[in-house]
Amino acid sequence: MTISRREIIKTGLAAGAAISIPSVLRAKAASGSTPTVHMVKANDLRIFDPIFTATNVTADHGLAIYDTLFGLDSKFMPQPQMVGKWSVSADRKTYTFELRDGLAWHDDTPVTAGDCVASIRRWGQVAPGGQLIMERAGDISKKDDKTFVISLKEPLGILIDLLADLSPPCLFIMREKDASRPATEQVTTNIGSGPFRFNDALVKPGASYTYDRNEKYVPRQEPADGLAGGKIVKVDRIIWDNISDPQTAFAALQAGEIDYVEQPPNDLLSVIESDPNLVVDVLDKSGKSMLLRLNCLQKPFDNVKARQAMLHLIDQEAFMSVLAPKYGASVTSIFGGDTLYSNDENTGWYKKGGDPEKAKQLFKEAGYAGEKVVVLQATDWAPSNDGSQLLAAALRNIGINVELAPSDWGGLSTRRAKKDSIENGGWSMFITSEADFSLANPLATPLLLANGESAWYGWPKNDEYEALRAKWATVATLEERKALARQMQGLWWDFVGDVRLGHYVSPMARRKTLTDIIGLPQVVPMWNMQKA
Amino acid sequence: MAAYVFRRLVSTIAVMAMVGIFVFLLLRLAPGDPAAMIAGRSATEEMIAGIREKLGLNDPMPVQFIHWVRDMLSGDFGTSIFAGRPVLELMSQRLEPTVSLSSLTMLVSVMIGVSFGILAAWRAGGPIDRLLTAFSALGFSVPVFVVGYFLVYFFAMRAQLLPVQGYKPISQGLGPWFEHLILPTVALSVAYIAFIARITRASMLEVLSEDYMRTAAAKGASSFAMLFHHALKNAGVPILTVVGISFAYLIGGVVLTETVFNIPGIGRLVVDAINNRDYPIIQSVLILTSGLYVFINLTVDLAYTLIDPRIRY
Amino acid sequence: MGRLQLSDLPRLARRYPLVFIGGGLLTLLIILALAAPLYAGDPVNINPFKRLQPPSAEMWFGSDNLGRDVFARTIFGARISLMVGLLSAACAALAGLLIGVIAGYSRSFDNVVMRIMDGLMSIPTILLAIALISLTGPGIGILIVAIAIPETPAVARLVRSVVLGVRQRPYVEAALCGGARLPKVLWRHILPSTVPALMVQGATVCASAILTEAGLSFLGVGVPPEIPSWGNMIASSRLYLAIAPLTIFAPGICLAVTVLAVNLLGDGLRDMFDPRSKRRR
């Protein structure tokens, strides 16, 4: 027995030593570290090609390694970025662009006008703004190595705005051999001309992605302002750690293993604020709108009265108090909470909702006879998971026969595409969100279409509205566009293309030592940020 | 013996074929579309349809199955729909963390669990037995992620002794590697120690009450010799069975542990892949873990015949 | 052996304390769960303006992130967790016993059946359950099936290994040589010896089914989020540890106590039913 006791003590000592040694190493590593920033993004970077997908995290990846022809400044005005000089002909149909000096791919070959032409064409296959340009363009061609021309069949006043748009997919310039692939096929390399190089050797899909400073990048001379100005990288390396469990990400932030968490859960914000080492910041001041899509093809929401009933029923304050406490508010406009085109046209009749009696009556007028109403609930996205339960409670309260259909977002994506009746696997409603920045541009967002079966899921149809929307590209002044927006919204709330649940901003959390992050809607640029 | 081994190998192939068909069908029948996941939340139907066509998801199912089997037999496990990289490369990136975590856990659990079990059986009904039984009942009653959060809260956040999350490969030094694995291993081991201790105790009690054990005792065999020479040898069959079985359980626990501690292992790879409907990864990982499991149990079965010569085929 | 009298209870309780503690706890939990509508509030009533409230006279354990009564949800959650645990265990134990005895006894069956079992078993429980659930969408029925299927081979294997061990024993061989009929041998000699293993394993399956439900809910693929189960409650409240600790402690403690009760009962029954282990005492 003595032997075993001694053995135990020896083992204990060995284990103790093993534990204490690495702690010493850890202290050393922390003090002499190079500035590496660890970020936890809102989602995993599953796709690397920012034209192939419209997800925000891939747009951020694109923003790091690719460059853009124009960039929006903090006032959302387009400024030249890769373009040095540009001009437009007197008939406003021919645009000539000349690239600035010093642009080079990460493989050290120079950026040419041919690359830009190929990239515009590929982007034009998928981005709504790009599709509009391709429709109007007679020819897009390179003149010489540094100059290319876009010739239009008729003037398009918003051409430069479309080229600079930051709603994904954004116009990132890729090498001609990458950009000559169809947009439905992913590029296989990550070679751009942007301020960061993607470190292919260190990539661990699903776990971490590494971006190194591009030492050879030549920034513009102007100071950084939004996506415009000089893109100066002030850290050596940025690593995106994909931490899927929000509690773990929060613990890692508190322990200093992570510098930045893009979407901390709303209910933890007060805890984060009370930590002296952490800061809560809103990068996207314009925020997002949460909305409810109704299936206009199937009972009961094929009847406009049932859709109007939903406007009466939804109490935005209740939804926001659960989905975005402190950072949410009610919203009246289909163009978002506080954009150029936000307005309150045609909202007086249902006020701010929350009137179950009126909703009940309208359902009755719509001839509702106990048909099953299926709410698609994505359990892996908190607003849909919680919001759908709230929705079901509100509907049950007025005697609607609701059924929640829980699945992950992937399952929801498949089912929402079904136009069939409920009995045949169809659906009635689901919750989603869209950046206000995109909602302020009815040409760029598919959510504001009302062309029936070719519209976005829910398929609202209103020809009068569509005729107004078609005018958007041709209207010249801001005032005229604002008036048009009011007219469009007036119709929208009558035929109820969707129902708004509220407007909110998503704060991010960071260590105090990480500063100077550029705040914009939709994207989070990584140049300019500093780590003490 | 050789004929038996040969027969087992043949049946192993049959098992794997069954697993293959099962896994393939399971995934293809599931609703959910990788193309929709790729395209993003506000994608249009046309975008999704275009991507489907490109990925070959519109081919008839038997064609997809034949392609898959053919490719796998030639060592090509396919390409991840999302990452666009070979599945083999993705799996090999994730193998080290999972193997480290699960083998450390197995080692700790078997050593402590079997000792606890023997100790408890030896003094059955006594205070040591009660204490160990209470521990194993408790250890088996708390979910691994709750233990994990508890450990993180006290040892990483409050005491700041150990890192909260992550994994450091062995190539970056034994110290950081071990340091990142301590908490996950402890969290995962608790249930397995309890599990193995329970089974060991039950099996040992069974054997200790046998007539030949009482004969041995009557003949004056020392209790130490009785425990380790006679009893453990005979109780070995059920214990080994359980150790073999717990490998598949272990992978389940690994999935949860890797999520709590953000360890980039096979478990998280496959859970993410299931959520994304990334078929090539799910299929390959399930085939791989199944293969490994089948191999371990083949070894266990063969070990039976060595430990307990009365069992012959 | 006389009839069991009520006055025998204290003696039995002293003799088999684990059965009484575990069984008593479990019975109490089942009664509390069944009687839930009589005394607990509404577990699904949502109040968006009363989120994450501290305990009060109205809501004893406070409210969760949708303003629901945590006490009511915990009590009603017992129904789901117990149902999932007991039904999964019953399914797995019955199927496993049948397959295990057949496989352990008949060599021709053994190979085929155990290879299928190996195949099923070789896919990790949680992964198989996630895959099955993604096939049909979340639901309690599919959850029970998804948990029972991967647990069945474990029971079958254990039963089989016991049967394999027992049938080599001299008394079984003697009985068979002595001309005893097969079913009688199975019933008299083999089946009883599988009981302790089945009891321990059955309790294990029940306990692990409750834990698996929690694990699946943790990964977001368990019982539909609308239905109160302990796993669901822990999973959706894990963020609120610092703000509303009861939302996670109440279901967490209930879960641990229930699993503990099941495990104790299993241990106790083992001692009680196994005549040879009783002899030792």
Side-chain angles (χ1 to χ4, degrees):
Chain A
M1 278 332 253
T2 39
I3 293 168
S4 65
R5 199 186 303 150
R6 208 166 62 212
E7 285 298 326
I8 290 165
I9 294 167
K10 251 163 68 184
T11 326
L13 283 176
I19 294 166
S20 57
I21 289 166
S23 303
V24 174
L25 289 177
R26 210 149 66 96
K28 246 188 228 159
S31 64
S33 63
T34 51
T36 295
V37 176
H38 285 267
M39 299 172 83
V40 174
K41 302 292 285 178
N43 291 298
D44 181 25
L45 177 66
R46 288 190 290 236
I47 311 290
F48 298 97
D49 183 339
I51 305 299
F52 183 78
T53 178
T55 51
N56 294 74
V57 67
T58 304
D60 287 346
H61 164 82
L63 207 53
I65 66 171
Y66 300 107
D67 213 342
T68 54
L69 293 176
F70 290 85
L72 292 185
D73 63 19
S74 52
K75 309 241 168 7
F76 304 131
M77 298 306 292
Q79 307 293 346
Q81 183 55 258
M82 291 170 81
V83 168
K85 282 181 286 186
W86 66 281
S87 59
V88 56
S89 64
D91 63 358
R92 310 205 71 80
K93 282 190 185 170
T94 308
Y95 287 75
T96 309
F97 303 94
E98 192 190 318
L99 295 175
R100 67 183 170 93
D101 291 329
L103 301 175
W105 299 110
H106 298 158
D107 63 7
D108 293 331
T109 55
V111 177
T112 69
D115 297 319
C116 301
V117 171
S119 298
I120 295 173
R121 288 185 184 282
R122 185 165 188 259
W123 170 74
Q125 294 170 29
V126 283
Q131 286 169 337
L132 185 66
I133 293 179
M134 298 313 281
E135 270 169 35
R136 300 286 177 92
D139 185 37
I140 301 175
S141 59
K142 73 166 188 174
K143 212 161 129 193
D144 56 52
D145 265 358
K146 295 187 75 174
T147 320
F148 66 97
V149 175
I150 299 180
S151 319
L152 299 170
K153 287 180 265 187
E154 53 189 297
L156 184 62
I158 53 171
L159 179 85
I160 303 295
D161 299 74
L162 291 175
L163 294 177
D165 191 9
L166 52 70
S167 293
C170 313
L171 172 53
F172 294 116
I173 301 303
M174 299 179 173
R175 295 181 303 173
E176 187 169 359
K177 59 175 156 184
D178 294 325
S180 53
R181 280 168 182 271
T184 48
E185 208 174 285
Q186 296 186 59
V187 295
T188 50
T189 60
N190 289 290
I191 293 176
S193 62
F196 287 91
R197 287 166 180 271
F198 188 65
N199 191 326
D200 261 310
L202 293 183
V203 63
K204 290 197 182 113
S208 70
Y209 311 90
T210 303
Y211 299 87
D212 292 329
R213 174 173 39 208
N214 177 8
E215 302 288 352
K216 292 177 184 160
Y217 184 76
V218 181
R220 296 185 72 92
Q221 295 304 310
E222 302 93 333
D225 179 21
L227 295 185
K231 299 178 176 176
I232 298 169
V233 177
K234 297 173 181 171
V235 294
D236 291 346
R237 174 173 278 187
I238 293 179
I239 298 174
W240 289 2
D241 288 309
N242 179 36
I243 304 183
S244 57
D245 184 63
Q247 176 67 29
T248 303
F250 165 66
L253 182 74
Q254 280 203 314
E257 292 167 24
I258 294 290
D259 300 298
Y260 166 102
V261 176
E262 197 154 290
Q263 264 180 24
N266 274 304
D267 286 310
L268 284 185
L269 291 175
S270 56
V271 184
I272 296 171
E273 277 161 353
S274 67
D275 186 320
N277 297 314
L278 305 181
V279 181
V280 171
D281 250 350
V282 175
L283 289 178
D284 172 9
K285 303 269 190 310
S286 59
K288 293 176 181 171
S289 290
M290 191 79 71
L291 49 96
L292 178 66
R293 295 294 287 198
L294 303 169
N295 187 345
C296 304
L297 300 182
Q298 299 297 339
K299 271 181 183 305
F301 298 108
D302 56 343
N303 188 317
V304 68
K305 283 221 175 349
R307 301 203 295 273
Q308 288 172 347
M310 292 306 291
L311 278 181
H312 283 291
L313 180 67
I314 297 297
D315 177 358
Q316 294 194 12
E317 275 170 33
F319 274 87
M320 284 298 108
S321 73
V322 171
L323 305 184
K326 271 173 75 186
Y327 290 87
S330 48
V331 63
T332 57
S333 182
I334 63 171
F335 300 100
D338 186 22
T339 66
L340 283 176
Y341 309 110
S342 296
N343 64 77
D344 57 359
E345 183 75 18
N346 195 20
T347 51
W349 58 277
Y350 67 88
K351 300 199 183 66
K352 59 183 201 57
D355 185 353
E357 286 313 310
K358 184 78 187 156
K360 200 172 179 178
Q361 186 199 327
L362 273 170
F363 265 112
K364 210 171 162 189
E365 286 173 27
Y368 177 75
E371 296 97 346
K372 203 196 283 172
V373 165
V374 172
V375 181
L376 300 183
Q377 176 186 29
T379 52
D380 53 352
W381 185 48
S384 174
N385 190 31
D386 294 342
S388 300
Q389 294 184 56
L390 214 56
L391 194 60
L395 282 163
R396 278 182 192 135
N397 200 27
I398 58 165
I400 305 295
N401 176 15
V402 193
E403 189 180 285
L404 287 175
S407 68
D408 52 24
W409 185 264
L412 189 154
S413 304
T414 313
R415 191 158 174 193
R416 70 175 178 181
K418 284 201 173 125
K419 291 176 176 164
D420 304 331
S421 64
I422 304 290
E423 293 74 42
N424 294 322
W427 55 277
S428 308
M429 53 175 87
F430 70 91
I431 292 172
T432 189
S433 73
E434 178 67 312
D436 276 14
F437 180 82
S438 295
L439 289 173
N441 184 354
L443 298 178
T445 177
L447 274 72
L448 289 181
L449 300 178
N451 46 358
E453 302 216 3
S454 13
W456 207 61
Y457 309 98
W459 311 285
K461 183 169 173 58
N462 189 288
D463 297 337
E464 205 184 332
Y465 170 89
E466 276 300 296
L468 289 176
R469 201 178 66 87
K471 281 205 220 159
W472 193 274
T474 54
V475 165
T477 70
L478 181 63
E479 285 315 309
E480 282 175 285
R481 250 185 263 164
K482 280 184 174 174
L484 185 61
R486 289 191 83 89
Q487 277 180 285
M488 285 167 69
Q489 177 169 323
L491 289 171
W492 185 274
W493 287 144
D494 277 343
F495 68 82
V496 197
D498 64 31
V499 175
R500 298 299 155 111
L501 304 178
H503 170 260
Y504 64 103
V505 292
S506 317
M508 61 87 175
R510 59 174 168 88
R511 303 282 300 175
K512 262 212 175 102
T513 47
L514 184 73
T515 54
D516 299 291
I517 304 173
I518 296 173
L520 280 173
Q522 295 281 22
V523 288
V524 181
M526 299 194 291
W527 59 88
N528 207 52
M529 67 168 73
Q530 301 194 52
K531 188 180 176 183
Chain B
M1 189 73 187
Y4 170 60
V5 172
F6 177 74
R7 257 196 359 254
R8 280 305 316 264
L9 285 178
V10 171
S11 67
T12 300
I13 293 169
V15 170
M16 294 309 296
M18 206 206 78
V19 171
I21 295 172
F22 183 74
V23 166
F24 183 85
L25 283 181
L26 191 67
L27 296 177
R28 296 304 151 120
L29 294 177
D33 184 348
M37 298 300 294
I38 287 173
R41 191 163 290 146
S42 48
T44 58
E45 271 171 66
E46 293 77 54
M47 265 175 95
I48 294 174
I51 293 170
R52 272 192 74 82
E53 185 60 44
K54 279 288 170 218
L55 293 176
L57 294 171
N58 288 338
D59 290 343
M61 237 188 263
V63 175
Q64 291 186 38
F65 182 71
I66 289 167
H67 284 173
W68 176 55
V69 172
R70 188 192 60 199
D71 291 348
M72 215 163 46
L73 290 179
S74 61
D76 176 5
F77 283 77
T79 306
S80 159
I81 293 178
F82 281 88
R85 286 168 183 251
V87 173
L88 211 56
E89 182 195 319
L90 295 179
M91 288 202 299
S92 55
Q93 276 184 350
R94 303 300 193 95
L95 209 56
E96 191 198 304
T98 301
V99 168
S100 303
L101 175 62
S102 48
S103 46
L104 256 183
T105 302
M106 258 317 185
L107 195 72
V108 170
S109 307
V110 169
M111 271 170 35
I112 301 181
V114 170
S115 322
F116 276 12
I118 293 173
L119 213 58
W122 180 42
R123 289 282 179 256
I128 295 179
D129 180 28
R130 297 238 165 111
L131 197 74
L132 290 175
T133 306
F135 163 80
S136 70
L138 250 178
F140 206 49
S141 309
V142 189
V144 57
F145 50 89
V146 173
V147 180
Y149 283 142
F150 181 84
L151 291 173
V152 166
Y153 184 74
F154 283 101
F155 293 96
M157 291 175 76
R158 291 289 286 274
Q160 304 200 338
L161 283 172
L162 294 163
V164 169
Q165 51 89 37
Y167 175 80
K168 286 275 179 285
I170 244 178
S171 56
Q172 288 184 22
L174 211 58
W177 172 80
F178 188 64
E179 188 188 43
H180 279 85
L181 279 175
I182 294 174
L183 291 185
T185 303
V186 173
L188 190 52
S189 295
V190 170
Y192 289 96
I193 292 171
F195 186 48
I196 292 173
R198 289 165 65 83
I199 300 297
T200 306
R201 177 181 179 274
S203 313
M204 288 293 284
L205 281 183
E206 180 98 346
V207 175
L208 284 174
S209 63
E210 294 281 357
D211 291 338
Y212 60 82
M213 289 305 297
R214 299 201 298 176
T215 313
K219 277 184 173 172
S222 72
S223 57
F224 186 85
M226 268 177 62
L227 272 180
F228 286 90
H229 188 71
H230 300 287
L232 187 57
K233 209 170 148 187
N234 287 300
V237 172
I239 295 174
L240 253 179
T241 309
V242 160
V243 171
I245 288 169
S246 23
F247 173 76
Y249 278 114
L250 188 70
I251 293 295
V254 164
V255 170
L256 293 169
T257 312
E258 286 182 354
T259 305
V260 170
F261 291 97
N262 190 37
I263 295 171
I266 294 280
R268 269 193 59 206
L269 179 73
V270 68
V271 169
D272 288 347
I274 291 176
N275 286 333
N276 296 341
R277 309 286 192 270
D278 200 334
Y279 300 140
I281 295 183
I282 312 172
Q283 286 160 349
S284 309
V285 172
L286 288 185
I287 293 288
L288 180 86
T289 50
S290 298
L292 201 57
Y293 173 86
V294 168
F295 171 77
I296 287 176
N297 280 282
L298 181 67
T299 318
V300 168
D301 273 7
L302 295 181
Y304 278 0
T305 54
L306 297 179
I307 289 185
D308 190 346
R310 286 170 304 169
I311 297 176
R312 280 263 188 252
Y313 290 79
Chain C
M1 257 242 219
R3 261 187 330 131
L4 202 64
Q5 304 265 313
L6 203 61
S7 55
D8 291 339
L9 270 180
R11 187 175 53 83
L12 284 171
R14 228 174 303 122
R15 195 151 173 209
Y16 309 112
L18 290 182
V19 178
F20 271 73
I21 299 171
L25 259 175
L26 201 60
T27 315
L28 186 72
L29 282 162
I30 291 173
I31 292 172
L32 281 177
L34 288 178
L38 300 178
Y39 64 100
D42 185 349
V44 291
N45 184 34
I46 289 177
N47 188 342
F49 301 107
K50 284 201 168 168
R51 306 177 65 233
L52 304 168
Q53 299 278 310
S56 64
E58 186 198 348
M59 291 190 282
W60 293 358
F61 291 173
S63 64
D64 71 0
N65 64 325
L66 290 176
R68 294 174 297 205
D69 183 349
V70 174
F71 175 72
R73 288 181 76 70
T74 306
I75 298 297
F76 276 90
R79 295 177 151 202
I80 304 299
S81 294
L82 283 171
M83 186 167 81
V84 169
L86 294 174
L87 286 184
S88 307
C91 292
L94 274 180
L97 177 66
L98 199 70
I99 295 168
V101 168
I102 293 173
Y105 201 84
S106 146
R107 279 182 200 187
S108 49
F109 256 115
D110 186 29
N111 252 325
V112 180
V113 174
M114 288 322 283
R115 290 307 75 78
I116 295 177
M117 288 293 107
D118 283 349
L120 267 185
M121 206 171 169
S122 65
I123 303 173
T125 312
I126 286 201
L127 296 184
L128 183 61
I130 299 174
L132 271 175
I133 288 167
S134 71
L135 187 78
T136 58
I140 293 178
I142 186 69
L143 185 71
I144 289 169
V145 173
I147 293 174
I149 288 180
E151 297 282 2
T152 301
V155 182
R157 256 187 106 104
L158 200 68
V159 169
R160 169 180 169 272
S161 79
V162 172
V163 173
L164 273 185
V166 171
R167 54 175 278 193
Q168 311 286 343
R169 293 230 171 91
Y171 59 83
V172 177
E173 279 176 359
L176 277 171
C177 291
R181 287 201 341 274
L182 183 63
K184 197 178 162 197
V185 175
L186 269 176
W187 183 252
R188 283 274 293 273
H189 299 292
I190 295 184
L191 222 49
S193 44
T194 63
V195 168
L198 204 61
M199 281 300 169
V200 173
Q201 193 66 17
T204 307
V205 171
C206 179
S208 90
I210 296 175
L211 290 171
T212 304
E213 185 269 320
L216 288 171
S217 298
F218 174 79
L219 293 172
V221 289
V223 178
E226 201 184 7
I227 298 172
S229 84
W230 291 333
N232 255 342
M233 295 175 70
I234 296 175
S236 64
S237 304
R238 63 186 137 160
L239 290 172
Y240 309 115
L241 188 60
I243 313 163
L246 267 179
T247 56
I248 189 162
F249 280 138
I253 289 169
C254 287
L255 182 90
V257 167
T258 307
V259 177
L260 193 65
V262 173
N263 281 335
L264 290 180
L265 182 65
D267 283 356
L269 284 176
R270 186 202 162 276
D271 293 345
M272 193 162 130
F273 283 133
D274 186 349
R276 276 166 295 134
S277 98
K278 208 162 67 182
R279 236 188 305 156
R280 259 192 99 240
R281 292 268 164 95

